[in-house]
Amino acid sequence: MLFSSPIFLFLFLPIVLAGYWLVGSRLRGLFLLGSSIFFYAWGEGRYVVLLLVSIAVNYCFGLLAARFRNSSLGRIVIWIAIFANLGALAWYKYAAFFASNINLFLISLGAPLLKLQNQHLPLGISFFTFQAIAYVVDVYREEISPQKGVARFALFMALFPKLAAGPIIRFDEVADDLHGRKPDLELFVSGVRRFVIGLGKKVLIADTIAKTSDQIFAIPGHGLTTAVAWLGIVCYTLQLYFDFSGYSDMAIGLGRMFGFRIRENFNYPYIARSLTDFWRRWHISLSTWFRDYLFIPLSYALMTETIRRKIAEGRYKTNYRSVLSIFVVFTLCGLWHGAGYGFIAWGMMHGVILGIESLWLGKTMKKWAIPLQHAYLLMVITLSWVLFRSPGVKSAATYVKTMAGFAGSAGSQHSLALYTNTELLLALFAAIIGTTPFAASIAGKFNNGRLRRFAPFAEMVFIVLVVLASFASLASSTFSPFIYQQF
Amino acid sequence: MTTQEQLNSIFCMVFDDADISIRPDMTANDVDGWDSLSHVNLIIAVEGRFGIRFSQKELLTFKNVGDLLNCIDKKLSER
């Protein structure tokens, strides 16, 4: 059930919201849990069993991690929990990919091949397995106490606003909200507003721009022209942000409607001035997950006594081991997005550039003119999205070559005018404004300026217009899934 | 030397900038080059110079220089 589908907007959401706030406060959690399980089963059918098993097993891991915190068994519990969660993820997401790679090797040996079908990828598995790992590790590290109530833990795992594509919530983030949610009109209204803005970002901007980027990325490499290739990647760059940040806005907004305060997942990533800065602003719940549960433990594990001494004495200025960790972390971050070499190459590219920025470029860049820093980031990020979007590394290379001016012979058939229309240009214009804090600053000025008393009215008009335009757009088109739901 | 002065010299060494003057309310945004990578160097250098070890839990609770200072003082007083 997509957040932008009529069945969700006009049936599921109103019924669940009404039921949730009408039942007594003691039943609220159970009602929301039941609704969330229903939400999952609606789209995923029997895979709801997988979610339930994951909840049960991780609930036990949490208790065990707390019980054996200070004994050697604790570490064993943690490793089993990590392997169990990653094992499930690997089976559903990567088994076919790994098998096909092993088969390449087996072919050369003339050995019989592995026969593995592509598995159905259960909705949200990449997100809830990571959430569970964070939970068990946090319990072990004594950052949180384990949740003893099964229903509360189940709600933490299954809460439908964030089930399909995150944000990957941490237990401490919602611990208080899990314990009881009082009606809070202000929070509810801010949730509705946020949801509508997310809906608009997805339906009006991302889906409109997607039509063009999908068309352009469907052109075979030799048919592209340089201008069309640039239009395609600019469209995709904006589409991806509006699709995913729109989804995140909807998730955060839904959370608030039910009394849950979920942390921000984006902070204007495209106005960053370095890739390091970008990763503090893009998919924050994932980047902080990788930092806290992979980068830091890995970096520490790689430190020997000699290196520790060298660092303390200032004789090991360049921490090559941490640079290696960054590379490993981002390669895995690429793989997390999907079983394919394009994603892996995308992650490696980010790892290498982040390493270079940390070693040397970051300091040099600070001396550049600010527009140049922005141009650098946008160039890096746009090029990396080619890898992210193309079906493979080879086609990505052809695409980048075309962007650089080496267009194929058949390119002339595809002129820029074929792909541009008023609708697209309007959406692109809105998208570019929307990637900056410009609108928020205008709203802030309005709220504090002479026209202050009209501000609530103006906001209401804006929200209603976005709702109407989104509904109109939904009614006239087939809806498309969120990009990150496929990861 | 106070803990803060000692820590200041570690900051200058790790971030290769003699002009850094730390304040308790300083965060990663206030120091050029303070990212996750150099953070590892900073923590290891602090651990080495003061002869202490932070737990993973403590590492993740540092929100600013003040938190780090308090934690160092706490560890030193426990010895």
Side-chain angles (χ1 to χ4, degrees):
Chain A
M1 215 180 322
L2 290 171
F3 293 164
S4 53
S5 64
I7 189 146
F8 179 84
L9 291 169
F10 300 116
L11 215 57
F12 182 84
L13 183 59
I15 292 175
V16 174
L17 264 180
Y20 180 75
W21 290 114
L22 287 176
V23 297
S25 59
R26 291 183 54 201
L27 287 175
R28 232 166 246 160
L30 281 177
F31 181 81
L32 187 55
L33 175 60
S35 309
S36 296
I37 302 286
F38 175 81
F39 174 87
Y40 198 82
W42 177 272
E44 293 297 291
R46 62 199 163 93
Y47 287 95
V48 74
V49 176
L50 178 74
L51 178 66
L52 295 173
V53 169
S54 170
I55 289 170
V57 170
N58 285 298
Y59 171 77
C60 298
F61 282 142
L63 295 182
L64 288 171
R67 170 81 180 71
F68 296 112
R69 227 173 232 161
N70 299 314
S71 80
S72 51
L73 276 176
R75 292 191 81 83
I76 299 176
V77 170
I78 291 297
W79 280 112
I80 295 176
I82 292 171
F83 272 104
N85 280 297
L86 292 184
L89 186 59
W91 173 253
Y92 286 105
K93 197 166 172 178
Y94 303 107
F97 177 66
F98 290 150
S100 72
N101 282 300
I102 294 169
N103 281 344
L104 286 178
F105 178 67
L106 292 178
I107 286 172
S108 65
L109 291 180
L113 301 184
L114 294 172
K115 284 203 184 69
L116 259 180
Q117 296 293 316
N118 254 327
Q119 301 281 333
H120 165 76
L121 183 65
L123 184 70
I125 189 168
S126 309
F127 297 88
F128 68 71
T129 50
F130 268 40
Q131 193 182 315
I133 291 173
Y135 167 77
V136 181
V137 172
D138 282 353
V139 170
Y140 177 71
R141 285 176 179 170
E142 291 184 62
E143 277 181 55
I144 53 171
S145 308
Q147 176 53 257
K148 297 209 171 71
V150 183
R152 285 205 186 111
F153 179 73
L155 186 56
F156 163 66
M157 288 288 287
L159 191 64
F160 81 84
K162 56 90 209 164
L163 187 54
I168 303 166
I169 54 173
R170 302 284 180 88
F171 190 75
D172 64 327
E173 182 176 347
V174 291
D176 292 340
D177 296 335
L178 281 171
H179 273 266
R181 299 155 299 277
K182 291 193 193 72
D184 178 340
L185 191 63
E186 214 170 301
L187 187 69
F188 183 86
V189 171
S190 81
V192 173
R193 204 187 297 143
R194 192 64 187 271
F195 182 82
V196 169
I197 288 174
L199 183 69
K201 276 180 168 178
K202 163 71 176 158
V203 174
L204 299 176
I205 298 183
D207 286 353
T208 306
I209 299 177
K211 284 184 227 157
T212 304
S213 54
D214 285 349
Q215 277 175 355
I216 295 177
F217 273 90
I219 302 172
H222 56 84
L224 274 174
T225 61
T226 301
V228 171
W230 274 99
L231 178 69
I233 197 58
V234 167
C235 284
Y236 184 69
T237 301
L238 292 166
Q239 178 204 343
L240 185 64
Y241 171 65
F242 280 87
D243 190 280
F244 192 27
S245 79
Y247 165 84
S248 297
D249 287 338
M250 291 165 99
I252 291 169
L254 286 169
R256 288 187 193 163
M257 288 183 217
F258 290 94
F260 286 86
R261 276 158 274 237
I262 298 174
R263 277 184 209 136
E264 293 300 331
N265 213 15
F266 287 92
N267 179 23
Y268 302 108
Y270 291 155
I271 64 164
R273 279 147 61 178
S274 66
L275 197 61
T276 311
D277 189 18
F278 174 84
W279 277 104
R280 293 193 189 113
R281 298 164 171 273
W282 175 273
H283 204 178
I284 299 167
S285 65
L286 181 73
S287 63
T288 50
W289 191 98
F290 272 107
R291 182 195 65 198
D292 295 347
Y293 303 102
L294 187 58
F295 173 71
I296 290 180
L298 182 62
S299 294
Y300 278 76
L302 291 175
M303 292 294 145
T304 61
E305 279 309 316
T306 327
I307 292 193
R308 282 174 164 275
R309 205 168 338 113
K310 278 189 182 170
I311 291 175
E313 291 165 5
R315 290 190 291 122
Y316 195 71
K317 288 246 181 281
T318 313
N319 191 338
Y320 293 107
R321 292 177 187 231
S322 293
V323 176
L324 177 70
S325 303
I326 276 286
F327 181 72
V328 171
V329 166
F330 273 89
T331 305
L332 292 172
C333 175
L335 186 64
W336 177 88
H337 287 84
Y341 286 112
F343 288 121
I344 296 177
W346 171 83
M348 287 178 167
M349 174 178 168
H350 279 255
V352 167
I353 295 174
L354 286 169
I356 295 174
E357 282 189 4
S358 186
L359 291 180
W360 153 76
L361 188 61
K363 272 213 159 136
T364 313
M365 269 189 331
K366 295 265 168 173
K367 295 180 198 125
W368 297 356
I370 287 175
L372 195 60
Q373 298 177 24
H374 285 295
Y376 155 83
L377 181 271
L378 288 173
M379 184 59 96
V380 166
I381 207 67
T382 309
L383 285 176
S384 84
W385 291 142
V386 176
L387 279 167
F388 202 80
R389 176 62 178 83
S390 298
V393 179
K394 221 174 173 176
S395 48
T398 312
Y399 198 97
V400 170
K401 247 197 316 206
T402 312
M403 283 169 71
F406 303 99
S409 51
S412 51
Q413 304 160 18
H414 297 273
S415 77
L416 201 57
L418 273 176
Y419 299 96
T420 46
N421 52 49
T422 323
E423 196 192 9
L424 175 74
L425 294 177
L426 267 175
L428 284 179
F429 179 71
I432 291 169
I433 300 276
T435 53
T436 70
F438 181 72
S441 98
I442 293 284
K445 286 212 176 81
F446 203 13
N447 277 324
N448 299 317
R450 272 184 303 133
L451 297 170
R452 180 164 59 234
R453 59 204 166 100
F454 296 111
F457 176 71
E459 187 183 28
M460 183 117 91
V461 170
F462 176 70
I463 294 290
V464 169
L465 282 178
V466 173
V467 169
L468 290 178
S470 301
F471 286 176
S473 172
L474 281 173
S476 66
S477 63
T478 53
F479 39 84
S480 51
F482 292 99
I483 295 172
Y484 267 71
Q485 275 185 8
Q486 299 150 35
F487 293 159
Chain B
M1 252 202 303
T2 63
T3 313
Q4 181 159 346
E5 283 162 0
Q6 271 179 284
L7 186 61
N8 206 121
S9 72
I10 298 176
F11 266 78
C12 294
M13 178 189 81
V14 170
F15 299 108
D16 204 13
D17 179 354
D19 300 331
I20 296 178
S21 168
I22 57 170
R23 297 180 317 272
D25 62 337
M26 231 173 185
T27 64
N29 291 329
D30 302 319
V31 179
D32 277 357
W34 192 352
D35 54 26
S36 299
L37 260 165
S38 52
H39 186 68
V40 175
N41 281 9
L42 176 70
I43 294 297
I44 303 259
V46 167
E47 288 182 338
R49 290 279 188 94
F50 288 99
I52 53 177
R53 277 287 168 98
F54 299 112
S55 67
Q56 297 252 334
K57 179 193 170 188
E58 287 165 332
L59 282 180
L60 296 175
T61 54
F62 301 147
K63 300 275 177 280
N64 55 30
V65 171
D67 291 343
L68 179 60
L69 267 173
N70 291 338
C71 193
I72 297 172
D73 277 332
K74 196 179 109 222
K75 295 246 155 190
L76 291 175
S77 67
E78 279 167 3
R79 280 199 307 200

